[in-house]
Amino acid sequence: FAFVVQLFLMAEFSFHFWDSAQHVEAPLRVVGDSYADVMGVAIFNFALCMCVPSWMNEKKPAVSVNKTIWGSMAAATFSYALIGVLGARSSVHTNDNMLTALGQPHMPALTRLCAFLFGAIIIGFGVPVSCLVIRYNLQLSNTLSSTGATLVATVAPWVLSWPLYQGHAALNVISYAGMVVNGLVNMLLPLALALSVADPSAFGLRKSMQLEAPSTVRPLPSSLERFRSMLIRAALALTLPAIVAATAIKTVSQISGS
């Protein structure tokens, strides 16, 4: 249901942006006034790695892991690019939260309604799912008891986030969390773990880590399997400097007040 609604909302936003862009004479710039938050927000939006174990435990055996992950990521990347370009083209200056701009009184009634529905259905319905995934991971890994996992996953986020709804606080938290927390948990550590399995010598290990049960998932096409170690190294070589540079740029931007 939420997916069908999201397709409709994206279509309405795209049409609105396209129509509004006809009245904006300013060209679309490749780089805006500030790109301090770009990397953090991008990583935050692609931070699905922590959800994969829970999803794999619950999915039906016939569901293809590769088709689901690669297909959803390709669709998400295309959607982000489409909405981002059209949205940036339709306005010279906009709010940190695009939904806030789309919900302004001067916007068409249908666009304002869609902005409300996006927040209530797409984002709102995603919160319980995230809470369940976090609780699932904390409890099954024996990190916390059932009660502790429930408190951390379902109570703590609301208690800690409610003061952040005004100003730029939410954007700053998302940006830093995306770079530092998600960048480490969803990007660097999984890549490091994958490299330790594919090439133990990279970390000075004598033999590969032994898994309790061999995985049947093959994330790469068979023709690229022999390049797995090289591809993981390349991903690490690109990801680590990017996260470090983005964190430094964001920190300098915060200190300078720009």
Side-chain angles (χ1 to χ4, degrees):
F1 171 73
F3 178 70
V4 175
V5 174
Q6 182 174 356
L7 291 179
F8 171 78
L9 298 179
M10 288 179 56
E12 199 286 331
F13 292 154
S14 298
F15 176 80
H16 170 74
F17 290 148
W18 179 268
D19 182 65
S20 300
Q22 310 305 314
H23 310 287
V24 177
E25 297 182 358
L28 177 63
R29 293 183 294 174
V30 177
V31 179
D33 297 326
S34 174
Y35 47 89
D37 297 305
V38 172
M39 179 62 73
V41 174
I43 293 177
F44 191 90
N45 286 333
F46 284 97
L48 82 159
C49 189
M50 66 178 183
C51 300
V52 172
S54 301
W55 171 74
M56 290 190 65
N57 287 332
E58 298 297 330
K59 77 176 184 67
K60 294 181 179 180
V63 176
S64 171
V65 176
N66 281 5
K67 290 181 179 179
T68 302
I69 298 297
W70 284 106
S72 60
M73 286 298 94
T77 302
F78 174 78
S79 300
Y80 284 140
L82 176 66
I83 297 297
V85 170
L86 292 178
R89 183 66 183 84
S90 66
S91 177
V92 179
H93 300 287
T94 188
N95 193 282
D96 290 340
N97 187 344
M98 182 64 76
L99 294 180
T100 302
L102 294 174
Q104 295 299 315
H106 65 275
M107 290 292 178
L110 179 59
T111 300
R112 283 185 287 152
L113 175 61
C114 289
F116 169 77
L117 292 177
F118 190 95
I121 297 179
I122 306 305
I123 299 177
F125 283 8
V127 172
V129 175
S130 298
C131 292
L132 289 175
V133 168
I134 295 172
R135 181 182 182 277
Y136 191 100
N137 290 339
L138 291 174
Q139 188 173 352
L140 290 188
S141 63
N142 295 321
T143 303
L144 294 174
S145 64
S146 176
T147 302
T150 300
L151 290 175
V152 170
T154 62
V155 178
W158 299 101
V159 173
L160 297 175
S161 63
W162 72 266
L164 306 177
Y165 283 96
Q166 299 298 323
H168 300 277
L171 178 62
N172 290 331
V173 170
I174 290 174
S175 182
Y176 276 115
M179 291 181 292
V180 180
V181 180
N182 286 326
L184 182 65
V185 174
N186 289 283
M187 301 286 182
L188 296 179
L189 289 181
L191 286 173
L193 179 61
L195 183 59
S196 69
V197 174
D199 184 8
S201 62
F203 296 97
L205 302 176
R206 294 184 178 180
K207 60 180 181 178
S208 176
M209 297 178 61
Q210 298 297 318
L211 303 178
E212 293 184 4
S215 175
T216 58
V217 178
R218 296 292 180 265
L220 295 175
S222 56
S223 59
L224 296 179
E225 276 294 330
R226 58 195 179 101
F227 301 111
R228 174 181 291 190
S229 176
M230 182 177 66
L231 292 174
I232 297 174
R233 290 173 184 270
L236 274 171
L238 293 173
T239 304
L240 180 58
I243 292 176
V244 172
T247 304
I249 292 172
K250 175 63 177 177
T251 303
V252 171
S253 176
Q254 285 288 102
I255 294 175
S256 63
S258 59

